[in-house]
Amino acid sequence: MFKRLASEALGLSDIGVIVEPKDFGSVDADDYLFHEDGEKIFFLIKSKKDEYCFTNFALIHVDGDSAVSSKRSIKRYEYATEQIEHVTLETAGTIDMDVELKFAIGGEVFSIDVRKTFIEQLKDIYKALISIGKRQRADETCRDNAPLALGAVSSLYKLNEVASPEAISAQFQDLLKSLNTAVLVSYTKRDFGDVFAKYIHA
């Protein structure tokens, strides 16, 4: 039923529509979520050929060859490893039928046309993507600074002067492991559900 309604709304063009939360279970992307790990959809754009599914963990792109083909390619871009960049929202002119959301993730550039009646919802996802990108860059800076922190901490770490080289090495390795674990836990964020919840208004 949903696919028929979406098709009617889209007409002959490939302009996308925003799927309401009550219909998330009816889209193809839902089949590829890691529900077992707590992954859930926060925002979804559907056109005749494609679905752009924003979850708390990743962007899932259900890429269709054409509007008349059932063949789909499923592509996944994890926020933990793929930087979101160059987010822009191009609003519609007087005679335009669509607005355009653009961004890059994992080296892939997306340009998504959406029916202009959904501009308010697109403002929400625009804010969320901008915020995720900012947090990713801040986390990257923290990870880059970790070796400097390690050097500073190791210089202050009191080593036993009478210890063997093996014992000193073991002490340093324990320190390195502890710091690396702390950095990864603190500055490699996987779940961005809080960001989406802040900006996405269902």
Side-chain angles (χ1 to χ4, degrees):
M1 178 180 178
F2 173 75
K3 292 182 178 180
R4 179 179 60 81
L5 293 175
S7 179
E8 290 174 358
L10 291 172
L12 298 176
S13 65
D14 197 37
I15 301 174
V17 297
I18 307 299
V19 178
E20 295 183 10
K22 64 182 178 64
D23 293 314
F24 285 166
S26 302
V27 298
D28 292 334
D30 184 65
D31 295 333
Y32 304 99
L33 266 66
F34 288 89
H35 295 285
E36 302 84 353
D37 297 330
E39 186 172 27
K40 61 181 181 178
I41 300 172
F42 278 87
F43 197 87
L44 195 142
I45 302 171
K46 181 178 179 67
S47 71
K48 276 189 173 181
K49 296 191 301 180
D50 300 292
E51 289 177 5
Y52 305 90
C53 176
F54 298 88
T55 79
N56 47 326
F57 294 163
L59 166 67
I60 300 172
H61 179 204
V62 181
D63 188 358
D65 287 345
S66 69
V68 296
S69 172
S70 60
K71 183 179 180 180
R72 296 290 184 266
S73 176
I74 313 303
K75 302 174 183 178
R76 185 179 177 91
Y77 303 86
E78 297 280 350
Y79 308 135
T81 56
E82 308 291 356
Q83 176 75 46
I84 294 176
E85 301 176 298
H86 313 304
V87 183
T88 62
L89 180 60
E90 186 176 301
T91 60
T94 305
I95 62 173
D96 294 324
M97 294 296 294
D98 63 296
V99 295
E100 192 170 11
L101 176 68
K102 297 181 180 180
F103 61 92
I105 183 170
E108 188 76 22
V109 178
F110 290 90
S111 180
I112 308 171
D113 295 323
V114 181
R115 187 168 289 278
K116 68 179 180 180
T117 53
F118 295 101
I119 182 61
E120 294 304 319
Q121 293 96 317
L122 282 178
K123 290 177 182 177
D124 294 339
I125 192 63
Y126 168 82
K127 292 176 184 178
L129 293 178
I130 289 285
S131 296
I132 291 173
K134 286 181 178 179
R135 186 176 294 184
Q136 288 175 321
R137 288 189 291 275
D139 289 351
E140 183 179 21
T141 298
C142 291
R143 289 195 299 271
D144 289 344
N145 288 337
L148 300 177
L150 175 61
V153 171
S154 64
S155 67
L156 297 173
Y157 194 79
K158 188 173 180 60
L159 297 172
N160 189 341
E161 294 180 356
V162 298
S164 66
E166 292 79 10
I168 293 174
S169 175
Q171 285 181 320
F172 186 78
Q173 290 300 321
D174 287 343
L175 173 64
L176 179 62
K177 182 179 179 180
S178 297
L179 183 58
N180 281 341
T181 299
V183 168
L184 288 173
V185 169
S186 300
Y187 300 118
T188 303
K189 185 172 178 63
R190 182 189 183 200
D191 190 334
F192 285 86
D194 60 323
V195 178
F196 285 110
K198 180 179 180 179
Y199 295 106
I200 304 298
H201 305 288

